[in-house]
Structure formats: structure tokens, C-alpha cells
Amino acid sequence: MTILRRRKSSLVNANHGVSIDVVAPIVVGILALVAWEIFVRVTGLPPYLLPGPLLVLQTLINDWNELFASLLVTLQITVVAFVAAAVSGLLISILFTQSKWIEKSLFPYAVILQTTPIVAIAPLIIIWLKNNTFAALVVCAWIVAFFPIVSNTTLGLNSVDRNLVNLFQLYKASKWQTLLYLRLPSAMPYFLGGLRISGGLALIGAVVAEFVAGTGGARSGIAYRILISSYNLQIPRMFAALLLTTGLGVAIFVGLTALSDWVLGKWHESAVKHEN
């Protein structure tokens, strides 16, 4: 009976913990929005300086069709760049693990690519690919999202338990068998962690590239709407576009976190839930 009571108590506390994790951020966010609205109304700030949350929400509803269409364009760029970064990052990491000489020769250039400001090289990429603006924007976003996947996955592939490596060698497993059955499963948490980081970075890269490109028209992304709204002092509209962009970033992170939990949830210690 005592053991059952303790288990029941721990389950109740766990449920309370989950509810607090969800409710607490929502409560803080609502309080912040209320304080923001009160501040704007009390101080009488004009909308072109700081619009209130209610005005931003109203603008978002009124301009939803145009803003959402632009958000979908940015989403397309983000998804293509993210998938390209994930595939290329994984393949290059596998190449690095096959030869230390290759890793030491090429990894510094991946670091150089990461540390080069995308704002500085985006104009060159757009000029080189002037006949295909979408491809230029994808390349810019790919550059930003590429390095975390390479870095994390390479670290995971190289962090395999040496005893297990020796066991595979003892049974005369080939390099590819060791990679497939040992290194890749061991590196999966690192790879998925890199994906969570790169998802948001791909969105940032897409937005920055759109700012630099300044492309308008029907195929303009959300960054162009933000830019034009700021030029025209349509600050509520700019905040509405920013809200959509932030929401997309949060959705990407939540989706990739759910994917990581689903992949690792049944077998890896980092995601398996244990009872205290």
C-alpha cells in the first residue's frame, strides 16, 4: 500500500509539473501583453512608435491574406535550405569519420563558412545567381544552417564508446557495418540536436537573404513585407509580420523537438522517461 501511495503521489506531481510547464509561460506571456497594452494606452504613444497588442492583432487579421502568402514563400525557402543542410551535413560528417586526414583538411573551411557574415556574402550570391533568385535565397539560408549539423553530427560519430568499436573490430566488421550499426545510432541524438538548431537558423538565413535581395511582387517573402512596412511607417503591420515570423520559428523548433522525442523516445537515455 505504501509503495502504491508513493507511486500515485509521484504521478500526481509529474502531472502537475507538466501542467506548470505549459501554463507558466502562457501566464507570463499574457501578463506581458496586458502590461504592454496598458503602457501604450497610459502613455498615449502613437502607433508609428509602438502599437499595442490589440492593434497588432487587428492588423494581422485585416492583412492576413497578404502576410500569410509572403510567409509561405519564406517557409518554402526555409524548408528547402534546411533539408539541403541536413542531407549535406550528414553526408559530409560521414565522410569526415572515414578519414581523419579529410576531416582535418576540410573542417576548418566549414568553420570559415560559418563565421563569414551572411549579410556580407549574400549580395555576391544573389549577383551570381541573378537568374534564379529563389536558388540564391536558398543558398544563403543553407550556409547559415549547415554548420551546426556538421559540427554536432561529426562530434556524435566520433564519440562512440571505444569498447564497442573494439568489439566490432574483434568480430571483423567492416567500416560501413560499424558506421551503420554503431556510429550512426550513437550519433543520432547529436544529429537531431543539430537539426533543432539549424531549423531556426535556416529561417533566420532566409529572412536575412530576403532583406538583402529586396525582392518584391507576388513572390515576395515576409522579410520584404517587414521592410516595406518600416519604410512606410506602417509599424502595426510590421509587428504583425514579425509575429508571424516568430510564430513560424517557434513552430519549427517545436516540430523538430517532437521529431527528436519520437525518434529517441523508445531507446535512447536522453529521451526515455523514467519513474523516480
Side-chain angles (χ1 to χ4, degrees), residues 148-168:
I149 296 177
V150 171
S151 178
N152 280 26
T153 308
T154 302
L155 176 62
L157 291 172
N158 290 331
S159 299
V160 180
D161 189 343
R162 300 308 304 175
N163 294 322
L164 293 177
V165 174
N166 293 335
L167 180 63
F168 271 66

Side-chain angles (χ1 to χ4, degrees), residues 156-214:
L157 291 172
N158 290 331
S159 299
V160 180
D161 189 343
R162 300 308 304 175
N163 294 322
L164 293 177
V165 174
N166 293 335
L167 180 63
F168 271 66
Q169 292 175 349
L170 179 64
Y171 282 95
K172 301 186 183 303
S174 65
K175 275 191 173 183
W176 290 108
Q177 288 175 326
T178 304
L179 173 68
L180 183 62
Y181 297 109
L182 178 60
R183 292 189 181 275
L184 284 178
S186 298
M188 189 60 67
Y190 296 86
F191 174 67
L192 294 172
L195 290 185
R196 288 200 298 270
I197 299 172
S198 293
L201 291 179
L203 176 60
I204 294 173
V207 171
V208 171
E210 288 174 356
F211 270 119
V212 175

